[in-house]
Each structure stands twice: as structure tokens, then as C-alpha cells.
């Protein structure tokens, strides 16, 4: 792929990156336009803080003084101009201009809702702006104050009734982004409500913000120079700093980590910013579907080092997660992780899904010599890219372009093995493959099998009334065992990669002679086929061997192109050589294809 920054000098590269970041921040539909804090109480509706700061317009008194000159031009109605004086009348509105038309009074009026709307999702669309928040009602316990001079107790109630942390988005923002922003607003509101009940934290911060606003208003009226009160609030108010940090994090990394009042931690991640491949983001719905479809034979690949992940964990982190991070390996499947960590398989699934959602890991198939990898079509193959420099530092004596060239065509890891090489070189190869998988430079191809019987001469095509094979043999599908579905109770904790539990038909069709029971079971399984399909299969020379025919009938429900070779091996406790031998014997009616696993492909290739 063409990289516009390749070949540029260092100073021009820096300028290019800054331009790209600014465009990404202002034009991205996943980034908020502004964060606003409003309150409602006995003093009316108040806008306590907003970020980014609105460009301060000149006050009317100064404008009137300028217009005293009869020859002065009135430019108040002209097009918007930037600081350099360039006209932007015909350019699209920036994020700042989208919210510039809303004054503080208007925002306080429309965002400070009634008490009946508290505790619910707040969403309001005005022109090109959509406001999303979670208004929260403050239920203060009465505070009894006893004065030294006046012994009679006095009950003092705080003046604030409700508050709302609102994120302004573009009107055409994705519904999943709107839902995520509401979730963050709700989390911040819950933390602020807790701290308000505990120590009146929000009331103190609100009084500080209003005091600064009153002070700035007084100064502006005296000397006539307009100033932004929110710029003065920021260095003095901890809550304002937290809201600014949340906004900046949402616009850059997508990971928000706040400590409200230096006490309560609020953690949040925007998956649209974290899960991005090739400039495309992974929809949260697709991510959730993939996490629900993970199987015990999958593996968890950490995207950061163990030390880096452990340093990011909170102090009250679950010991099970720490144990999994220390034990996790690219060559271990989830079932082996459950055994090594002494945790339930369902808990391993939940921790793995948590790490994947936060962008700290991805789901892969465990590394083995039979894995087939290929260069990702979305990989950055520039000679002097930052990835190439990092690879050269990580693996001295090797360069990334030469390594990627070896995967231009599908190749298995077994082809890289050399019996004459030292074991350390094989370990380094595994580390390099892991490094490339972490950067999404490689994709793994799996083998899928489809049953395709040639049509007979009398019936050149499939009749319309004949259902497809998937519908005819779908009664015994083992594509997604319900006991292993993510988030559901599991009774398969005793399953392992080498000896998984086998289904009933597998046990009944175990090799043991040409018994009448085995023959009847074989005929029953083949009964889902049409007469022509059954006759073609029985005429294959390999079908004369009853053991091969029983194995073919037993695996018939896998021959729909939905189950890759490794899944069949796991579910049926079979060796790869057995399956390949069977495929070769029945190659006249089986079509073998190689492509990505749909379950984990979203972590390797962007969705078109």
C-alpha cells in the first residue's frame, strides 16, 4: 500500500503527522465535539464547565466603540475567519463552529432537564449536533449544623438538585458511538453522585466554578476585555481537569482512566478507537459476536508484554486475571490455560473477552508447525516504516521486508524448520511470527471441506425443490456446541485438546467390525443425502472399506464449508493425518478450500 509519509524528510513527516492527527480528531465521527457539565438548583440552570473553550467574541461595548467611526465597516455578519484571516465561509464547519452557535445560557437551559428525566438516557439533536448524557438527581441527606453561638440545630440543604455530564457529537454519529458515550456519562455521573453523598464533592466543585465565572464576569465588565471563564477554571478545579482528560482521551486513544476526587476510579474504553485495522474500525456488534463464538481450542495472544500489562492493572484487580496474564502463551489454547491456572473454562472465556474488548489481546489459533500463514493484504510493507525499525531493533540481524516476503504465498511454519539449526533459532522464529501477528501483518488460513457430488446425466442441475446439503444434514450440526458458548454455563471442563469428549454417534461408530449396528448407523447418516449423492459416494473405491465409509458418514455434517480442519480434529479427537487421508480417498466428491476463520478474522482484516 502507498504510504504518503514515505520518503519525506523528518520535519515534513512531523508536519504531516500533525495534520493527519488534526483531521482525524476534527472529522472523525467517533470523537466527541465537546464535553459539557450543567446543573440545576435553587439558583437556576447553570453551565458549570465546557471544553474545548469557545472562542471569545468581542463584547458589544467594544463593537459599539469601533462603529462610532462613520467610515468603519460592519463585519459582524460576514463569514467566519480564522486567526490568520483566511475566509472559511465555504469550508465545512469544524467541531468548534458546530457548538459555537450555542451560548452558555442556551446550553444550560436545554441540557439541564427536569427531575422526571433523571436516571435515564438523555439524547437531543439540534441541527448538526447531538447531545448525549445521563442526567442524575442528587438526593442529599439533611446536614445538621450546630453553631457555637446558636445552640439550635439548623438543617442546611445543598442548592444543587441535579446535574448532567453531556457529550456533544456530530448528528450523524454511529448509534454504537452514541451508546458508548451515554455509558461513559452514566459512569461519571454515578461516581460524582457517590462522592456528593460522601463529602459533597460536586457541590464544592460547582461553587468554585461559579465563583470563577462571577469573577471573570466582573473583570470583563470593568475593563471591557472578554475572557473565557472556563480557561481560568481549568487549573483550579479537579473536576474540570477530569472532564478535559476524558475528552482528550476519547479523541486520541479511546481509553479513559479517571480518579474522581482522587478516590473513585472510572475506567472506560471506546472500542471504535481501540479496534482499528487499516483505517477501519471493528463494529462493537461484530466484536461481540466473535467473542461469543470463541472455542476452547482458540488461544489468547497478548498485544503487550506481561510487564506492561501488569503495570496497567488497578490495585484491586482480580487475582484470576493476573494469573492468566502470567500464564498466557501463544502456543496454549484456552482449555490448557484453564488447567494451568486452575480456573474454570467459563471464567477463562470471560477474562479473555475482557482483555480483547480493552484492546490488550486478540483471539488466534495456537501456534503449531501445521499453521498456514499469509501476508495480510492490509499490512504496511514500506521499507522504512516505524514497524521495520522496531522489528530490526527487536530481532537484530533480521529485517521486516525480507521476513514478510517469505509469507507472500501461503506457507506453513513447518517449512521453516531446519533440523540442522539450533533450537534457539526455532524459538526466535516463533517470536517473530508472534510479533507479526500482534501487528496484524499476517493472517492465518484454515482448511475447509465441502461435499460436492457431480450431477448425474439425467439431472444436470439441482432441482428447485431439493434443499441444500446444509439443510439436509443440519440436524447433527456441531458447529457451535451450546455448552461452550461464551457466557453460558459449561459442563465441558474435562475437555482437552488431546482427548476431547466425543459425541454419541462417534462412540457408536467406533471401529469394531462390520456389526449390524454400525451398518444401520452408517445407512442412517447417509440417509440425509439424495439417492444420486448416496450412489456416487458408495461407488467410490474407498467406500468399499467399511471403516472409511463409517468415518466419512460420521464426519458428513462437517462437510458444509463451516468447520475448519482444526475444529474437526478437536471435536472428534482425530489426528490431522487421518483427516487428510480421508479427504484424499473421497477427493472426487470433496472440495477443499483455504480461507480465514470467520470467528477470528475480524482481528486480522478490516470488515469491508
Amino acid at each position: 500500500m502507498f504510504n504518503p509519509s514515505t520518503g519525506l524528510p523528518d520535519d515534513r513527516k512531523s508536519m504531516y503527522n500533525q495534520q493527519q492527527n488534526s483531521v482525524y480528531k476534527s472529522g472523525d465521527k467517533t470523537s466527541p465535539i465537546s464535553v459539557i457539565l450543567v446543573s440545576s438548583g435553587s439558583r437556576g440552570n447553570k453551565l458549570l464547565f465546557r471544553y474545548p473553550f469557545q472562542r471569545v467574541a468581542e463584547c458589544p461595548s467594544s463593537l459599539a466603540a469601533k462603529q462610532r467611526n462613520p467610515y468603519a465597516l460592519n463585519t459582524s455578519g460576514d463569514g467566519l475567519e480564522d486567526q490568520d484571516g483566511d475566509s472559511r465561509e465555504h469550508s465545512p464547519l469544524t467541531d468548534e463552529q458546530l457548538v459555537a452557535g450555542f451560548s452558555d445560557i442556551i446550553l444550560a437551559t436545554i441540557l439541564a432537564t427536569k427531575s422526571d428525566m433523571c436516571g435515564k438516557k438523555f439524547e437531543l439533536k439540534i441541527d448538526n449536533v447531538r447531545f448525549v448524557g445521563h442526567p442524575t438527581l442528587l438526593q442529599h441527606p439533611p446536614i445538621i449544623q450546630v453553631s457555637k453561638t446558636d445552640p439550635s440545630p439548623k438543617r442546611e440543604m445543598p442548592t444543587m438538585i441535579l446535574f448532567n455530564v453531556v457529550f456533544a457529537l456530530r448528528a450523524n454519529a454511529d448509534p454504537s458511538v452514541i451508546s458508548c458515550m451515554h455509558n461513559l456519562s452514566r459512569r461519571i455521573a454515578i461516581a460524582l453522585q457517590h462522592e456528593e453523598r460522601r463529602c459533597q464533592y460536586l457541590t464544592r466543585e460547582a461553587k468554585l466554578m461559579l465563583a470563577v465565572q462571577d469573577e471573570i464576569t466582573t473583570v470583563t465588565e470593568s475593563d471591557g476585555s472578554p475572557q473565557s471563564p472556563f480557561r481560568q477554571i481549568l487549573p483550579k478545579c479537579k473536576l474540570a481537569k477530569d472532564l478535559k482528560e476524558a475528552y482528550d482521551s476519547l479523541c486520541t486513544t479511546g481509553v479513559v482512566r479517571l480518579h474522581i476526587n482522587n478516590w473513585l476510579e472510572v475506567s472506560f474504553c471506546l472500542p471504535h478507537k481501540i479496534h482499528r485495522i487499516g483505517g477501519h474500525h471493528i463494529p462493537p456488534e461484530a466484536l461481540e459476536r466473535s467473542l461469543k463464538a470463541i472455542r476452547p481450542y482458540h488461544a489468547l495472544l497478548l498485544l503487550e508484554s506481561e510487564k506492561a500489562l501488569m503495570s496497567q492493572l488497578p490495585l484491586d484487580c482480580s487475582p484470576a486475571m493476573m494469573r492468566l496474564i502470567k500464564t498466557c502463551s501463544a502456543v496454549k489454547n484456552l482449555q490448557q490455560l484453564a488447567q494451568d491456572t486452575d480456573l474454570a473454562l467459563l471464567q477463562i472465556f470471560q477474562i479473555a473477552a475482557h482483555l480483547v474488548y480493552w484492546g490488550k489481546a486478540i483471539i488466534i489459533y495456537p501456534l503449531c508447525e501445521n499453521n498456514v500463514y499469509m501476508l495480510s493484504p492490509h499490512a504496511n510493507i514500506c521499507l522504512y516504516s516505524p514497524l521495520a525499525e522496531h522489528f530490526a531493533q527487536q530481532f537484530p540481524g533480521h529485517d521486516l521486508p525480507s521476513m514478510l516476503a517469505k509469507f507472500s504465498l501461503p506457507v506453513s511454519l513447518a517449512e521453516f524448520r531446519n533440523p540442522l539449526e539450533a533450537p534457539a533459532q526455532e524459538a526466535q522464529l516463533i517470536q517473530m511470527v508472534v510479533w507479526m501477528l500482534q501487528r496484524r501483518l499476517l493472517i492465518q488460513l484454515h482448511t475447509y471441506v465441502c461435499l460436492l457430488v457431480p450431477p448425474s446425466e439425467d439431472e444436470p442441475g439441482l432441482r428447485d425443490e431439493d434443499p441444500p446439503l446444509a439443510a439436509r444434514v443440519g440436524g447433527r450440526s456441531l458447529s457451535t456446541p451450546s455448552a461452550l458458548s461464551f457466557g453460558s454455563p459449561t459442563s465441558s471442563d474435562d475437555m482437552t485438546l488431546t482427548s476431547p469428549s466425543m459425541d454419541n454417534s462417534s462412540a457408536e461408530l467406533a471401529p469394531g467390525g462390520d456389526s449390524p449396528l454400525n451398518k444401520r448407523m452408517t445407512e442412517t447418516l447417509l440417509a440425509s443425502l439424495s439417492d444420486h449423492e448416496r450412489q456416487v459416494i458408495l461407488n467410490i473405491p474407498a467406500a468399499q472399506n467399511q471403516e472409511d465409509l463409517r468415518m466419512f458418514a460420521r464426519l458428513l455434517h462437517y462437510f458444509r464449508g463451516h468447520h475448519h480442519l482444526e475444529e474437526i480434529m478437536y471435536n472428534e479427537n482425530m489426528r490431522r493425518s487421518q483427516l487428510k487421508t480421508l479427504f484424499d480417498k473421497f477427493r472426487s466428491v470433496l472440495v477443499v478450500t483455504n480461507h480465514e476463520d470467520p470467528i477470528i478474522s475480524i482481528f486480522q482484516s478490516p470488515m469491508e
Side-chain angles (χ1 to χ4, degrees), residues 449-451 469 473 476 478 502-503 505-506 509 525-526 547-561 563 565 567-575 578-583 586 590:
V449 184
C450 297
L451 178 64
L469 176 65
V473 301
R476 291 191 61 255
L478 292 180
M502 301 171 63
D503 58 274
S505 62
S506 301
L509 290 178
L525 292 175
L526 294 178
E547 183 177 348
D548 291 339
L549 182 60
R550 284 196 302 269
M551 185 180 298
F552 181 87
R554 181 178 118 198
L555 303 178
L556 181 61
H557 57 282
Y558 290 112
F559 301 154
R560 297 177 294 166
H563 313 274
L565 192 62
E567 182 180 359
I568 302 175
M569 291 168 53
Y570 183 89
N571 291 337
E572 298 297 330
N573 192 23
M574 300 179 64
R575 293 190 299 270
Q578 289 179 283
L579 291 176
K580 287 193 172 182
T581 301
L582 181 69
F583 298 162
F586 291 88
L590 294 180

Side-chain angles (χ1 to χ4, degrees), residues 388-434:
E389 297 178 1
H390 187 196
F391 185 86
Q393 296 175 359
Q394 188 78 12
F395 307 101
H398 300 272
D399 61 288
L400 183 59
S402 300
M403 194 64 189
L404 294 178
K406 299 179 181 179
F407 294 92
S408 297
L409 296 176
V411 58
S412 65
L413 296 183
E415 300 183 26
F416 291 95
R417 295 190 62 180
N418 187 352
L420 302 180
E421 291 182 350
Q425 294 182 350
E426 181 178 352
Q428 188 181 42
L429 173 63
I430 296 177
Q431 294 177 359
M432 289 189 289
V433 172
V434 169

Side-chain angles (χ1 to χ4, degrees), residues 44-285:
N45 301 330
K46 297 292 182 180
L47 189 144
L48 301 178
F49 183 74
R50 65 187 293 183
Y51 185 84
F53 309 126
Q54 185 179 3
R55 185 177 300 177
V56 180
E58 297 188 45
C59 61
S61 58
S62 59
L63 289 176
K66 287 185 178 181
Q67 293 177 4
R68 290 174 184 172
N69 189 337
Y71 301 100
L73 294 177
N74 183 9
T75 60
S76 59
D78 294 347
L80 295 174
E81 294 184 357
D82 61 4
Q83 296 178 351
D84 298 330
D86 299 331
S87 176
R88 295 188 179 183
E89 184 177 359
H90 302 288
S91 61
L93 294 177
T94 63
D95 291 346
E96 180 184 356
Q97 293 170 350
L98 285 176
V99 295
F102 300 95
S103 64
D104 297 347
I105 299 178
I106 294 178
L107 289 177
T109 303
I110 62 178
L111 300 182
T113 62
K114 296 182 179 180
S115 302
D116 298 340
M117 300 180 63
C118 290
K120 305 176 184 178
K121 180 181 179 181
F122 172 82
E123 184 175 348
L124 176 64
K125 176 181 174 295
I126 302 179
D127 295 335
N128 296 325
V129 183
R130 186 183 302 270
F131 300 95
V132 180
H134 189 83
T136 304
L137 188 66
L138 295 178
Q139 299 176 354
H140 297 276
I143 302 176
I144 301 178
Q145 287 189 349
V146 180
S147 176
K148 295 182 179 179
T149 57
D150 186 5
S152 60
K154 296 181 179 180
R155 295 182 177 268
E156 177 184 349
M157 293 295 294
T159 59
M160 189 183 303
I161 300 176
L162 60 90
F163 69 97
N164 194 6
V165 179
V166 182
F167 290 97
L169 307 173
R170 290 183 175 267
N172 57 352
D174 190 84
S176 59
V177 177
I178 298 175
S179 177
C180 290
M181 293 299 174
H182 168 252
N183 186 18
L184 177 58
S185 175
R186 181 178 60 86
R187 294 189 181 192
I188 297 177
I190 292 175
L192 290 176
Q193 185 183 47
H194 178 275
E195 287 302 284
E196 177 66 17
R197 292 177 179 177
R198 187 177 70 91
C199 59
Q200 293 191 5
Y201 170 71
L202 183 59
T203 300
R204 295 200 312 267
E205 295 293 289
K207 289 181 179 179
L208 178 60
M209 294 177 181
L210 294 176
V212 175
Q213 293 183 19
D214 295 341
E215 179 182 353
I216 296 300
T217 301
T218 303
V219 173
T220 301
E221 292 177 352
S222 61
D223 57 10
S225 60
Q227 299 182 21
S228 173
F230 309 114
R231 191 181 301 274
Q232 306 298 326
I233 291 175
L234 188 59
K236 301 179 181 180
C237 182
K238 174 66 170 58
L239 180 56
K241 294 179 182 178
D242 290 338
L243 295 178
K244 176 185 179 299
E245 181 181 353
Y247 172 84
D248 292 338
S249 299
L250 290 173
C251 293
T252 52
T253 62
V255 178
V256 178
R257 296 182 183 275
L258 304 177
H259 285 83
I260 303 298
N261 195 22
N262 295 322
W263 184 255
L264 290 182
E265 181 178 4
V266 176
S267 300
F268 172 84
C269 74
L270 186 63
H272 307 76
K273 289 292 180 66
I274 296 178
H275 302 282
R276 300 185 70 94
I277 303 176
H280 303 266
H281 75 271
I282 301 177
E285 299 82 7

